[in-house]
């Protein structure tokens, strides 16, 4: 029997007694039990020395003419509320207690003693304020890191489970077209579900740890008085077993299907037979040539005497091509521009469709070495590279991708990227302009009368840039590198709002240098 069970039976046996009398008697026996334990008695010895709850209630009611067994007799009225000194008349428990303990004095009730106010010097309190602030910030950072860890674990569980379920469901539509691709996807999906089960085992410990740590901080780094309850491991064992089954079964199914696809990951999507297509056109007599591309990476080179574009396509996924009035247009089709069509193709061809399709969404534009007119290229979603060309004015613009220009010369050249990095290497021009909204800019061995580089979110890095008028701006990034010439050759205007700057403004010089950054450092050096 335990203390809780004994007091519960005593409370039941005292049924019918006024509440105040009942609680006092229960509290009395609770103290007897606590003191017995504190004197070193075992659980068995404590309850062998005590009378049974039913006997205690019977003795009490007999001594006070009350109900026996918790029930009132019909001819006995209910007892009214007793005064506080009522228990002095009932000496049986008291005599028993004195016989057991003699002159032993029960310990006082436990409780936290009130803290004495210390007469701390106000000056010391003021000096400790920075330490309190640092401790607060560290605690806040720890709480944020813990919360982020919990959210990360939960996100992994959701991502693995949702991704696996999606792959399994969408695979059933692939069986008519290619059963082995479907089998590989189902295996991968089951494997992800198994991983989600394993990650799910981390959620509860992570959340409990975060809660205990947060509570410890809010209690002023004092331990909790709460008794921790043991957790059953049956659910954990079942989850581990289920996770192992899913991982082993999914891995086996994926391996078997992938083996049937010759262990070539390019076969994990139904793409059809790919073929190379070459389209020739003429630039004779043209001074302006424009290229518009949609979801296609483009490489531009100067080679031979024939103008042509080479790309890959399949019968199931043809590309559209046209050349009219000096404008070349090439597109990957409606699936690349329409979210609904893209989802349809993904469900028809496999979850790896977009990744594998992007490998074939690349074209090479060959310009004749004799062409020296203007060139304008606009790519909606794709990267662009240019090498060994000599043109008039060039405008290179991409919405989502990088631009690389190497070993080329221009009248003027503008490289613009909405979301991508820009790199100009060994470029010679009258004017060079490089602008990106999100990405870094690299200028290496660039020689031009005017050099203008602007990055909204990225650094500017220069190496042996030779320009008469140089303008550099980075809203959120550093500006560093070296310029050709002496420092005294430049009229310098430099400012760094949230960062250091090694340049000082000057009013004289045959060249001009403007360097501005809102958040970042400026480190420009000069070479003769």
């Amino acid at each position: 029997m335990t203390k809780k069970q004994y007091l519960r039976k005593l409370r039941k046996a005292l049924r019918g007694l006024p509440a105040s009398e009942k609680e006092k008697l229960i509290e009395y026996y609770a103290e007897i039990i606590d003191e017995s334990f504190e004197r070193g008695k075992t659980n068995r010895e404590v309850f062998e020395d005590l009378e049974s709850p039913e006997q205690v209630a019977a003795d009490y009611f007999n001594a006070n003419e009350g109900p026996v067994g918790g029930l009132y007799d019909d001819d006995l009225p209910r007892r009214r509320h007793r005064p506080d000194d009522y228990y002095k008349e009932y000496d049986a428990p008291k005599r028993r207690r004195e016989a057991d303990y003699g002159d032993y004095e029960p310990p006082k009730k436990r409780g936290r003693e009130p803290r004495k106010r210390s007469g701390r010097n106000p000056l010391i309190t003021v000096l400790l304020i920075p330490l309190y602030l640092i401790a607060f910030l560290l605690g806040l950072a720890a709480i944020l890191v813990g919360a982020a860890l919990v959210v990360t674990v939960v996100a992994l569980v959701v991502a693995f489970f949702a991704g696996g379920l999606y792959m399994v469901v969408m695979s059933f539509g692939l069986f008519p077209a290619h059963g082995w691709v479907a089998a590989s996807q189902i295996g991968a999906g089951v494997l992800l579900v198994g991983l989600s089960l394993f990650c799910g085992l981390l959620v509860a410990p992570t959340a409990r740890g975060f809660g205990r740590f947060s509570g410890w901080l809010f209690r002023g780094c004092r331990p909790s008085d709460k008794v921790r309850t043991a957790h059953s491991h049956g659910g954990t064992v079942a989850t581990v077993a289920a996770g192992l089954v899913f991982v082993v079964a999914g891995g086996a199914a994926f391996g078997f299907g992938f083996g049937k696809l010759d262990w070539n990951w390019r076969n994990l999507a139904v793409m059809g037979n790919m073929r190379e297509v070459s389209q020739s056109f003429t630039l004779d007599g043209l001074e302006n040539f424009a290229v518009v591309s949609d979801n296609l990476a483009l490489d531009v080179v100067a080679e031979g005497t024939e103008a042509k574009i080479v790309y890959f396509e399949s019968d199931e996924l043809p590309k559209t091509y046209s050349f009219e009035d000096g404008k070349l247009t090439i597109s990957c089709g409606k699936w690349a521009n329409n979210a609904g069509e893209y989802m349809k193709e993904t469900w028809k061809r496999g979850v790896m469709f977009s990744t594998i399709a992007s490998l074939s969404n690349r074209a090479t534009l060959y310009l004749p070495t004799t062409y020296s007119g203007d060139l304008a290229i606009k790519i909606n979603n794709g990267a662009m590279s240019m090498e060994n060309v000599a043109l008039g004015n060039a405008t290179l613009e991409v919405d989502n991708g990088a631009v690389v220009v190497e070993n080329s010369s221009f009248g003027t050249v503008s490289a613009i990227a909405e979301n991508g990095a820009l790199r100009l290497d060994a470029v010679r021009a009258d004017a060079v302009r490089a602008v990106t909204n999100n990405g870094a800019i690299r200028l290496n061995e660039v020689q031009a009368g005017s050099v203008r580089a602007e990055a909204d979110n990225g650094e500017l890095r220069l190496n042996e840039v030779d320009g008469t008028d140089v303008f550099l701006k980075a809203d959120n990034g550093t500006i560093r590198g070296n310029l050709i010439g002496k420092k005294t050759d430049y009229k310098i205007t430099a400012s760094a709002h949230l960062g250091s700057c090694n340049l000082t403004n000057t009013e004289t010089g045959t060249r001009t240098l403007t360097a501005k950054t809102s958040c970042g450092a400026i480190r420009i050096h000069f070479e003769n």
Side-chain angles (χ1 to χ4, degrees):
M1 182 179 294
T2 64
K3 174 185 174 182
K4 185 176 181 181
Q5 292 172 339
Y6 184 89
L7 296 180
R8 184 170 63 245
K9 290 183 178 180
L10 180 58
R11 184 183 301 275
K12 183 177 180 181
L14 294 173
R15 186 171 52 193
L17 193 67
S20 59
E21 298 180 22
K22 182 192 301 183
E23 294 302 325
K24 287 183 179 180
L25 193 58
I26 290 174
E27 182 179 356
Y28 176 79
Y29 275 91
E31 290 180 0
I32 291 178
I33 295 172
D34 291 338
E35 292 168 4
S36 299
F37 281 122
E38 290 174 358
R39 289 177 63 86
K41 289 188 176 183
T42 63
N43 188 79
R44 182 175 181 179
E45 292 173 345
V46 169
F47 293 103
E48 282 182 350
D49 293 342
L50 290 175
E51 294 178 340
S52 67
E54 293 78 7
Q55 186 62 43
V56 171
D59 292 344
Y60 179 82
F61 288 129
N62 289 335
N64 296 277
E65 299 179 356
V68 179
L71 299 175
Y72 281 96
D73 295 333
D74 295 338
D75 56 345
L76 293 177
R78 289 180 177 267
R79 304 294 291 181
R80 295 187 178 181
H81 178 68
R82 303 287 187 178
D84 293 339
D85 59 351
Y86 170 74
Y87 287 106
K88 294 180 179 179
E89 301 177 3
Y90 182 59
D91 296 332
K94 183 176 180 181
R95 288 195 300 270
R96 181 181 179 85
R97 182 178 177 184
E98 291 176 350
D100 287 344
Y101 304 115
D103 296 333
Y104 171 71
E105 182 179 354
K108 296 181 180 179
K109 293 184 178 180
R110 295 181 179 179
R112 185 176 296 167
E113 296 181 358
R115 295 184 178 180
K116 296 181 180 180
R117 295 183 176 271
S118 59
R120 179 179 292 172
N121 192 324
L123 179 60
I124 296 178
T125 303
V126 173
L127 294 176
L128 289 177
I129 288 178
L131 296 179
Y132 293 150
L133 181 60
I134 293 174
F136 171 76
L137 294 177
L138 290 176
L140 180 61
I143 290 176
L144 293 177
V145 171
L149 182 61
V150 174
V151 172
T152 301
V153 174
V154 174
L156 280 176
V157 174
V158 174
F160 281 149
F161 183 80
L165 187 62
Y166 173 75
M167 292 181 69
V168 171
V169 172
M170 71 171 295
S171 299
F172 290 102
L174 282 172
F175 274 106
H178 207 303
W180 297 124
V181 174
S184 300
Q185 285 192 176
I186 290 176
V190 173
L191 178 64
L192 288 178
V193 172
L195 293 177
S196 73
L197 293 177
F198 284 126
C199 291
L201 295 174
L202 301 176
V203 174
T206 305
R208 282 198 300 268
F210 173 68
R212 291 171 183 172
F213 178 74
S214 302
W216 179 73
L217 288 179
F218 286 120
R219 287 191 301 271
C221 302
R222 292 191 297 271
S224 174
D225 297 331
K226 184 178 179 181
V227 178
R228 297 179 182 177
T229 58
H231 298 277
S232 174
H233 298 290
T236 302
V237 173
T239 303
V240 170
L244 284 174
V245 170
F246 276 94
V247 169
V248 172
F254 174 76
F256 184 75
F258 195 31
K260 291 294 184 178
L261 297 173
D262 298 328
W263 303 101
N264 186 350
W265 68 275
R266 292 174 182 263
N267 295 332
L268 289 175
V270 183
M271 302 297 297
N273 295 323
M274 302 298 295
R275 64 177 182 274
E276 181 180 292
V277 178
S278 178
Q279 301 283 1
S280 300
F281 53 91
T282 180
L283 297 178
D284 295 341
L286 290 178
E287 294 294 331
N288 298 287
F289 175 44
V291 179
V292 177
S293 174
D294 202 2
N295 288 280
L296 192 72
L298 186 64
D299 299 323
V300 181
V301 296
E303 181 178 300
T305 59
E306 182 184 14
K308 63 181 180 179
I309 186 168
V310 179
Y311 55 90
F312 291 87
E313 68 175 6
S314 67
D315 294 335
E316 298 178 358
L317 297 170
K319 292 179 173 62
T320 59
Y321 162 83
S322 66
F323 178 76
E324 185 177 358
D325 298 331
K327 180 180 180 180
L328 186 152
T329 303
I330 184 170
S331 175
C332 293
K334 61 181 181 179
W335 68 267
N337 302 312
N338 186 287
E341 293 294 332
Y342 169 77
M343 291 301 299
K344 289 180 181 179
E345 293 295 334
T346 302
W347 279 67
K348 285 169 52 179
R349 304 182 184 281
V351 72
M352 294 291 291
F353 165 69
S354 61
T355 302
I356 298 174
S358 64
L359 300 176
S360 63
N361 289 343
R362 193 172 197 92
T364 302
L365 175 64
Y366 294 91
L367 295 177
T369 55
T370 56
Y371 181 76
S372 59
D374 297 341
L375 175 64
I377 298 178
K378 174 73 169 85
I379 300 178
N380 188 22
N381 185 28
M384 191 200 68
S385 68
M386 181 176 289
E387 186 177 5
N388 299 324
V389 298
L391 300 171
N393 301 323
T395 301
L396 314 175
E397 185 176 355
V398 298
D399 283 346
N400 187 26
V403 177
V404 178
V405 181
E406 297 177 314
N407 300 318
S408 300
S409 61
F410 308 89
T412 63
V413 58
S414 295
I416 304 170
E418 289 292 331
N419 183 30
L422 304 177
R423 180 165 67 88
L424 279 68
D425 190 358
V427 172
R428 296 166 300 281
D430 295 334
V432 172
R433 179 170 177 257
V435 179
T436 177
N437 288 334
N438 186 28
I441 297 178
R442 303 285 189 273
L443 303 179
N444 180 45
E445 298 182 5
V446 173
Q447 182 179 358
S450 174
V451 177
R452 187 178 186 94
E454 302 177 53
D456 284 347
N457 187 28
E459 70 168 355
L460 303 182
R461 188 176 291 273
L462 318 173
N463 181 41
E464 298 183 7
V465 173
D466 187 1
T468 304
D469 180 14
V470 180
F471 180 89
L472 308 172
K473 180 182 178 182
D475 286 342
N476 185 27
T478 60
I479 301 175
R480 64 178 69 243
N482 57 78
L483 300 176
I484 299 297
K486 299 179 180 179
K487 185 176 182 180
T488 56
D489 294 340
Y490 290 88
K491 178 182 177 181
I492 300 174
T493 303
S495 64
H497 294 297
L498 295 175
S500 59
C501 178
N502 71 331
L503 299 177
T504 55
N505 294 342
T506 60
E507 297 295 332
T508 60
T510 58
R511 301 184 179 189
T512 60
L513 169 61
T514 303
K516 299 179 180 180
T517 177
S518 299
C519 182
I522 297 178
R523 291 288 183 271
I524 299 294
H525 304 281
F526 300 88
E527 295 184 359
N528 294 329

